[in-house]
Amino acid sequence: MRKRISALLGAAALALALAGCGSNSQATASAPSAAETTAAEAADAETAGEEETGTEETAAEKTEAAGTADTVSAATKSPSLETDLEEILAEVDKLVYENQEGQLVVSHKFGETVMPENPERIVSIKLEDLMLALDVDMVACRNFETFYLEDQINELGIGTITVDEEANTVNFEEVLSYKPDLIVIRDAFDQTIYDELSKIAPTIAFRLQDSRISLVALGRALGIEDKAVSRLGQYEKKIADAKEALSSLEGQQVAMLRILKKEIRLYPYSKNDMSSFLYLDLGLTPDPMVEEYDNADNLAISMEMLPELTADHIFLIAGYGSNTDEAVAEAKKRYDDIKADPLWQMVPAVQSGQVYEVDSRIWLTHGILATEVKIDDVLDALLPQ
């Protein structure tokens, strides 16, 4: 194991060197353990959108696209890239391995799949982020207008697979028409969807919330593990560089708010996958109320409490992930109403003009490429040129 890790670290180090990483830069990462998942994750919140307790929402609010859920996790930090890689590879070993017959097997939420040899016609459904991060050729994938990867997918001439976001179902006829020899999906679908896809071609599934682990596991399954570790090194370097740049803001506090049709939510310090990267990865200082919300049963915050949010900077999401345009429009209308409220005008960050509205369709999405865009958003907001 140690020799294997050293070899893979060599690939990661090469990636860092090619990216211009100097000897004074140290990448950091977090690799949440499967054992650390909470009861909220056990309920598999990512399959149905909003699963936070204590809220009452419309059907549209409850059916955000898989991958935009407000899921909760006990995130951890590891001291070095080598330690992180060792932990990641230990998790990958559980997901992708050789069976007694010498076949490569992928173990996932829906069972086990024997990998076909040298697949050439791959269809991806809701795992486009990792597939594109690894430059894997796809004959078709999920795509739609306003998707943050839409332009990249179109430029590559990749076919489209339609997904009904509210029902979380797939157009099987479209999948079949591309004659895939391998289907790669996010494990946020129901078993019945997986079973139908498996009738078309061998189907493997990965948990996008564990982006680091899934990136390497996907790479191993496709025979490009070295490339996956190298790409992970680039990702960690981006985080390390951003953290170093943002260290100049030491002492300035940050918060993340989200406006929905019926409520406002304050995102916690470490117990939520959508907000924790701000603090655990980028090293930003949370508002005291943000830290308190780590133990909150409900992320909703009342208008009356908003003036108590003394953060110097607020990142604000008005809307949903890949939900309908109508649902997004309703959330934005609610935000317009809130901005006219005197209580909103009492919020310190509002008064100083340091509230930054960010794209819900990216900030409520998991993935390597999505997080890299979020990091760029943070740098543009907090360290404008």
Side-chain angles (χ1 to χ4, degrees):
M1 171 67 110
R2 179 61 61 183
K3 290 182 179 178
R4 178 156 152 267
I5 292 172
S6 296
L8 290 172
L9 273 171
L14 177 60
L16 296 180
L18 291 175
C21 179
S23 58
N24 293 328
S25 296
Q26 181 180 18
T28 59
S30 60
S33 166
E36 295 176 312
T37 54
T38 65
E41 284 183 310
D44 204 11
E46 64 184 308
T47 63
E50 300 300 323
E51 294 289 345
E52 295 163 358
T53 59
T55 61
E56 294 183 5
E57 300 175 0
T58 65
E61 290 168 342
K62 290 182 178 179
T63 54
E64 288 188 47
T68 64
D70 293 338
T71 51
V72 180
S73 66
T76 59
K77 291 299 288 181
S78 300
S80 70
L81 178 58
E82 181 171 359
T83 302
D84 279 333
L85 186 56
E86 186 170 356
E87 293 176 355
I88 288 171
L89 288 174
E91 293 299 318
V92 171
D93 286 341
K94 300 175 186 178
L95 300 175
V96 187
Y97 48 85
E98 286 190 3
N99 61 16
Q100 294 181 344
E101 288 74 36
Q103 299 168 312
L104 190 63
V105 174
V106 177
S107 177
H108 46 76
K109 171 182 171 181
F110 308 109
E112 292 186 343
T113 303
V114 175
M115 283 292 296
E117 293 186 10
N118 303 316
E120 296 181 351
R121 298 186 61 80
I122 303 176
V123 166
S124 170
I125 307 174
K126 292 196 174 184
L127 213 70
E128 294 75 30
D129 187 293
L130 300 188
M131 295 287 282
L132 290 173
L134 293 175
D135 296 319
V136 178
D137 291 335
M138 297 174 278
V139 294
C141 68
R142 172 208 188 205
N143 196 11
F144 56 93
E145 290 185 5
T146 73
F147 187 28
Y148 71 102
L149 298 172
E150 179 188 10
D151 290 343
Q152 188 174 351
I153 291 169
N154 289 341
E155 287 174 5
L156 292 170
I158 299 170
T160 297
I161 301 297
T162 304
V163 176
D164 184 327
E165 302 295 350
E166 293 194 9
N168 201 31
T169 57
V170 177
N171 187 317
F172 299 115
E173 291 183 359
E174 286 181 348
V175 176
L176 184 60
S177 71
Y178 286 101
K179 300 178 180 179
D181 50 20
L182 176 68
I183 301 172
V184 180
I185 68 171
R186 184 176 179 178
D187 70 358
F189 291 102
D190 291 336
Q191 181 76 45
T192 54
I193 302 298
Y194 170 81
D195 292 342
E196 290 300 315
L197 290 172
S198 295
K199 294 176 183 177
I200 299 173
T203 301
I204 56 177
F206 295 94
R207 189 172 186 269
L208 191 55
Q209 285 172 289
D210 295 329
S211 292
R212 290 172 168 96
I213 294 171
S214 292
L215 180 78
V216 179
L218 177 62
R220 179 183 294 181
L222 297 175
I224 52 172
E225 183 174 357
D226 287 355
K227 183 175 183 178
V229 172
S230 176
R231 184 63 178 86
L232 179 63
Q234 294 176 30
Y235 175 70
E236 298 297 350
K237 180 191 183 304
K238 186 175 184 72
I239 292 174
D241 287 350
K243 183 176 182 179
E244 181 178 357
L246 293 167
S247 65
S248 62
L249 301 176
E250 183 177 0
Q252 297 187 37
Q253 296 175 352
V254 173
M256 177 176 160
L257 288 175
R258 182 178 175 197
I259 310 295
L260 292 92
K261 181 181 178 181
K262 293 186 177 181
E263 67 181 34
I264 306 171
R265 294 180 185 172
L266 175 63
Y267 279 65
Y269 165 66
S270 68
K271 297 292 183 68
N272 190 285
D273 294 327
M274 295 301 156
S275 54
S276 62
F277 87 98
L278 291 169
Y279 314 111
L280 302 185
D281 284 339
L282 300 184
L284 295 171
T285 303
D287 180 280
M289 196 182 299
V290 171
E291 292 186 291
E292 293 175 8
Y293 263 60
D294 250 12
N295 299 314
D297 294 328
N298 185 344
L299 299 186
I301 182 172
S302 68
M303 287 294 298
E304 290 72 22
M305 291 180 62
L306 279 176
E308 299 177 24
L309 190 64
T310 58
D312 300 279
H313 308 275
I314 294 176
F315 290 94
L316 186 140
I317 301 168
Y320 301 81
S322 301
N323 209 315
T324 64
D325 291 338
E326 181 181 356
V328 174
E330 289 174 343
K332 289 186 176 296
K333 182 180 182 303
R334 175 71 195 282
Y335 180 39
D336 288 337
D337 294 339
I338 289 172
K339 286 189 288 188
D341 193 305
L343 287 170
W344 178 253
Q345 299 303 321
M346 294 171 62
V347 177
V350 175
Q351 295 176 343
S352 63
Q354 295 181 138
V355 175
Y356 317 106
E357 186 175 356
V358 292
D359 190 342
S360 64
R361 298 177 192 246
I362 296 175
W363 276 63
L364 297 176
T365 299
H366 297 94
I368 297 296
L369 299 180
T371 301
E372 289 179 340
V373 175
K374 296 176 203 178
I375 292 171
D376 289 339
D377 286 346
V378 171
L379 293 173
D380 290 344
L382 302 185
L383 299 173
Q385 296 299 319

